[in-house]
Structure formats: structure tokens, C-alpha cells
Amino acid sequence: MRESQPPRRAAPADLEERVRRLLAPFRGDRTMTVDALKVIQQAYGYVPPESLRVVAEELGVSENTLDGILHFYEFLFPHPVGEKIIRVCSGTVCQALGTPAILRRLRERLGIGWHGTTSDGRYTLVPLPCYNTCAYAPILQVDTLTFVRVTPDQVEAILEGRVEGVEGLPCGDGMPTPPREEVDL
Amino acid sequence: MSLEVLVAEARSRWERKVNPDRPRVIISAGSCGIFAGARKVKAAVIDALKGLHVDASVEKTGCVGLCWAEPMVDIQLPGRPRVAYGPLTPAEAARLVEDVVGRGDPRVDKALYVYADAPYEGIPPREKTDWFKLQYRITQRNVGIIDPEDLDDYLASGGYEGLARALTMTPAEVVEAVKKSGLRGCGGAAFPTGLKWEFCLRARGDEKYIICNADEGNPGTWKDRLIMEGDPFQLIEGITIAAYANGASRGFIYIRDEYPLASSRVRTAVEKLRARGLLGDKILGSGFSFELIIRDGAGSYLCGEEMGLISSLEGDRAMPRSRPPFPATNGLFYKPTVVNNVETLANVPQIIARGWEWYAGLGTERSKGVRTITVSGAVRRPGGFELPFGIPLKTVIYDLAQADPADLKAVQMGGPASNILPADFVATLPLGLDELRDAGTTIGSGGLVMLGQQTCIPNLVLQLMEFLRDESCGKCFPCQMGTRAYYNTLYRICRGEGRPEDLDFMLDIAPAVQFGSLCGHGQVAHVPVVDTITHFRHEYEVHIRERRCPQGVCELSPVATAV
């Protein structure tokens, strides 16, 4: 029931060479598949399907296995995504305190549901699997900006950048842990 | 360097820190604090100090568990005790610094408590406040007090006494001590920790592993985050003791990707411990070597399931394997493995340092020790409290978290696939493991989610099922199809297209889902559905019979509303 209309994009020409370079630290270590895919996602914004053959060769796993892993983990994107990622917490507390109404507003405004990308390619909406900062529910994130105790009426203003969010704590972007100066106080 | 030398140095540094010759301002910097605006508060504090031309130290600490009081700031003046203030806006924080540091006014109006044995200027001592007087803090004992990135702070608080003592014992003696302490897993299943260790210790294998499960995926539970963000050293000491007791030379800590701050603090802690010889080769000059590897998740709820976590560490989809064989004999890379929750392991250092008799004396006859409970949802004061077993849940809900009895409808106990019970019933129960099991429920991972009157129960269960359906790994079909069937049925009910037989259908398939599923995910997926049909049947019936949502949460289909 997941809606997703990935815009078609041609694979970059230097993909193979670049992916091999990115994967150098993981060569031959099949336990690092998830981290390897994260590194590729960091470089491309998603994991291009063309890269899987290279990853399979470098790590010594089958392409099929990698495809399964890619589609399994929430933070790995198998398709190109919008310029900005909107995440709305799907945890129990946020659900009880307003996520359904927030999603309704987002759908009215952007015309997308979970895993959808706007036709202009600006936004992709994905669930956030709960930060466990439930005292501040409901939580909405636009890229690395976090908005807490969001009301449905704020959604419009958040999208237009009129609400002040909290910078930092960039999580759930499918990226390896950022250097600590970026996350810490 | 021997531990005595390290501790002596750490103690003298700590003494200088807590008896400062210049003002200290300590910012509460957990994820909760940062979300509440701790960064801006810190900037405002620094600006205010500059404006005063005062030389002060600005430090940080973890979240003490009073999530409603964030952003919090502690201020200590030379020769005075440390006072906690909150909640503060940046402007209020600047004003506070000007008043307290600049003019010596203790600002009783914004004060929460003081770190002292006696009241200071009318501010109550921390241990006498409503929030702390019932608590017995073990895993959280340093959280909110020490700098989570300063190893000396931890060593000065009695850190690594547990490991030092464990190294004088045989592994079997350590396992025996943990067994006798009565410590049980804090991740949800409440399996006796010592017994798990014994299985692994006895298992034959050239290599063994210890895994710390820091994939705290249950919404409404953040006890592990408090530990990792507030006192990662105690957790790592616990992992090291567990490794020694089980004969593991390599260990993993699997941290979920949603916890970047926890991950960063644990990484810092590991680096500092390595530099001091408390992790790595020949720890504390003994023959015991241990390497801890930190791995980040990628947003899969199933990674919190021990077998799923093991699959993920091996570089595969987080799909559980069938048990037996259990991880204790065939775990990571099919080697004997112990998988323990963060809070469980964080209890271990104190159990070894202070003796199992001390821990076994806490709590009740049947549930020994303490447990951190996090309360959120429809409450005035959400937060985390480490409480001895036996405390009535009524106290936790109404006194500590200050839920409004008139507004409270239901309580979900510990995780998305756990009991949803009427608040009145939960208020009659004590906090306990076996005590709650007798009442047909469980404390699970320790997260209590309070649901207010405005919550539409069928819609909430629909959202829970969407989550459980999406997170079902799909390996075994009772879970895959069961969660799907639940979701589809609930979806129709919440659209106003429910049929009278829907409720019986959902109850009928419950045993198939429960007994047919491979792992805990599917085995409990039916629980919220069955519970809410039992206790809140009228809400479903209004949706099905009258095709309306009393709370106005559900989006009824146009066809349904026309009927």
C-alpha cells in the first residue's frame, strides 16, 4: 500500500569507479553491507540500483541479498528521493497526540502520503520510527531541522520556513554516524 | 596504570570540580533537552556570562529524567551548593545567570532542587523532592550529575570498582553473583540474566560474543537513551564485566540510527576508556582483553529482537531465526553469544561492586531490584524514573507523571505490541514482573504511554498495526499475514466500512498469529487488538454500527458518512 513514484534518473557515468572507492574500507567484509549501502546513500542521496552489482563484487555477497537488505531497512532509499525529506514520527505517543491530523494536512498541502514524493521532486514523506523523545510529541523533521509539539495548524508554516526548528541531531538519514561536533551541544 | 592511581587522580579532579573557585553553569544536554532548546539556552548563558565579565565554566550533563522541565540549567557558585533550574527559555536563562551569578540571588522561583542534604534558601534537597524521593537510582545514578564525556567523573563516582572486583573472581563466580542478585532482563522478556550467562559460559566454542542491544525501538521507552546519553561509562563497564563472565573477547553494541547523540557519546566513552587501558588489551593489568565494536542500525524495529539483531550484525536483513538453538549456543556467526539490553548491563557494575545481597534486597520478594519507567502521552509531567519494584503504578501515573484522572482513558504498557488497558485497572497494579504477569500484563520495556480521552482507540490500534505490519520482516507468514489482516480490517472499521463480524474475525485469528509466529514480533502482535476489543468494545461498535468516530480522529469515507 506504499505509494511511490520515483522519478527516473540515469545512473551517473562514473558510478562504478566512485562506488569502488567508497567501499574500500569494507572490501571483503560481508558483515558491513548496511554500512556500505549507507555510504553510497550519503554520496548519491539514495542507493542507485546500478551500484548493487559493484557492492556485491566488493563485499562478496549476492546482488539479490543486497536488494533484500536495501528494501528492508527504513533508512535506505532504493529510489531517488525529494530534495527535502519530511519525517513524521510514527510512534505511539505521537500517533495518540496528533500524527494522523498532521499527515492529513501534509496530504492536503503536498498531495503525498507515506513514502510519496511530490511531483516537483521537492519533498519525500517518510515515517520516523520514533526518537523516543516522547515528552515532545508529536515530532516532525524536515531534513535536519526538528520541530517538536507540532500542531496540525503549524504544518503550513513549517513548510514555508516560518517556524523555528531545532538544528542538529540529524538522524534517520541513512548516513553513518556524523562526527560528534555536529551532534553534540 | 593501576585503578587506584586512576581513581585517586579522578577523585581529586572531581573534588576540585564540585568545590569550584569560579561559578559553574551546567546545561542539561540530552536529546530531550536539545529538542527543548538547550543549544539556544547555552548560547544565551555564554552571552550573559560574557556580559557580566565573569570567568565561569560551562559544562554539560545528561538528562536527569525530568523531561517536562527541559531545558534545565544547574548553577553552582563557589562555596555554595549546586542548584537545578528549569524549564527555561533562552531569555529566562540569560536573566537567571545575571541574577544568580551576577547578583548572588538564588532565584528560588525557578529552582527545582539543590544538590545538598539540607534545604538551601528554601530550595528542597534533590532527594526530598517528589520526583526523586521514591526513586532508587542505580543505572541512572550519575545521569544528570556527571559530564557524560568525562571519564574522571565516572571513576570518581566509584566507577570500575565492579570490574576490578570481577577480575579477582572467576567467571563462574561472577555469573553466580548475577544469578543470585535476581537481575532480570530489562528489554521486555525479563529473562533471568544470570541464567542466560550461565548457558553461554557452559556452551562450548573457541570464540564467544557479548552483544549489547541498544536498539531501543519501543515508542514511549527511552530509559536506554538516558543511560547512553548520560552515563555511557557505566554501560561499557557492565558490558566488559559480562564479557569477562562469559569468556568473550569481542563485543558489539548495536545502537539504533535514531540515537545519534547516544551513539556519539558511547563512541567518545570507548575512545577514552581505550586510552586509559580500561578497554582493549590486558585490562587493568589482568590477563583479560576485550574489544568493543560500535555498530549503528538503519531504522528497522526488528533489530531490537535478539535474533534479528544478530542477523543485522552479520550483514543481513534483520530476520529472526527459529529457536532453538538459542543465541547462548548458536548466536552471532553461530558462536555462543549473550544478548543483553542496555539497562540490564548497566545494572551489573553496581551488583558486582556492592554485592548481590544488596541488589537482591531491593524490590519485592518476586521481583528483585529496580526498573526505569518512562511515562509519556497524556500527562502533565512526562519523564523517566528509576523505581524499586513494588511501587504502585498509581503513584507513578498520578503522582510522578501527574496524569489528570478525569482525562486518562487507557495505558499502553511497554511497546507498540503490548497491552492497552483501562487506566482504572492499571492504577490498581503494583510495579513488578511476576505481579504484573499474574494480572495478565507485563511491564515490557518499561515505557508507559498514557492515552487521554481524545484518543480514538480503534484508530490508534490501526496506526500500531500499520507500524507492526511495515516492520514485520515477512519471514514467517502468521506474522506477515496476521498483521496485514489486522491492518486491513481496522482500516475498514476506521473508514466507517466495518462489518459486524469484523471483531470476531480479529479475535479468531489471534491464536494463529500468536502461536504460529517465529519471534516476539508476531507472537504479541495480536495483543493490542484483543485487549482493546475486550476493554473498549463500545468504541469499535460505534465505528461499525453508527459509522462515526466519537473523537473525530478517523477519516470516514464519503460512502460511509452518507449511509
Side-chain angles (χ1 to χ4, degrees), chain B residues 314-535:
Chain B
E314 289 174 354
D316 211 331
R317 283 178 276 182
M319 282 186 166
R321 300 180 201 141
S322 58
R323 276 164 291 198
F326 289 93
T329 54
N330 295 62
L332 186 64
F333 309 121
Y334 292 91
K335 299 279 176 18
T337 304
V338 163
V339 186
N340 277 146
N341 168 266
V342 169
E343 194 189 355
T344 317
L345 289 165
N347 269 307
V348 171
Q350 287 292 300
I351 292 176
I352 301 298
R354 299 169 77 158
W356 63 266
E357 297 89 345
W358 158 77
Y359 193 84
L362 301 170
T364 68
E365 191 54 44
R366 299 163 69 199
S367 309
K368 310 254 189 247
V370 299
R371 183 60 71 84
T372 307
I373 302 296
T374 51
V375 192
S376 55
V379 290
R380 274 195 288 270
R381 294 191 161 170
F385 316 96
E386 189 162 16
L387 300 160
F389 283 119
I391 282 199
L393 286 177
K394 192 171 68 184
T395 313
V396 180
I397 296 170
Y398 296 115
D399 299 344
L400 290 175
Q402 297 203 350
D404 177 2
D407 178 51
L408 201 58
K409 176 154 78 179
V411 179
Q412 183 168 37
M413 330 258 297
S418 57
N419 298 97
I420 298 179
L421 301 168
D424 299 341
F425 174 64
V426 174
T428 63
L429 303 172
L431 174 64
L433 299 170
D434 294 340
E435 289 87 343
L436 286 175
R437 189 162 296 166
D438 290 348
T441 179
T442 161
I443 198 63
S445 54
L448 296 182
V449 178
M450 304 293 151
L451 304 169
Q453 296 294 352
Q454 89 291 355
T455 313
C456 169
I457 296 280
N459 196 285
L460 181 79
V461 181
L462 169 74
Q463 310 295 342
L464 292 175
M465 265 321 137
E466 183 177 24
F467 178 78
L468 294 173
R469 179 202 66 179
D470 287 350
E471 295 298 336
S472 172
C473 76
K475 183 167 181 170
C476 69
F477 80 85
C479 170
Q480 184 192 9
M481 303 308 282
T483 52
R484 208 154 289 256
Y486 278 139
Y487 175 81
N488 292 346
T489 313
L490 287 160
Y491 181 77
R492 269 196 294 99
I493 293 174
C494 291
R495 293 265 295 172
E497 295 163 7
R499 300 170 199 142
E501 66 272 21
D502 279 345
L503 297 184
D504 285 339
F505 165 72
M506 291 200 286
L507 293 175
D508 282 349
I509 65 169
V513 181
Q514 180 184 2
F515 297 112
S517 293
L518 199 56
C519 80
H521 189 78
Q523 283 160 7
V524 294
H526 66 289
V527 171
V529 179
V530 173
D531 268 10
T532 50
I533 294 179
T534 311
H535 299 292

Side-chain angles (χ1 to χ4, degrees), chain B residues 106-120:
Chain B
R107 283 298 300 272
V108 181
D109 59 315
K110 276 280 171 195
L112 295 166
Y113 51 81
V114 59
Y115 287 86
D117 297 327
Y120 163 73

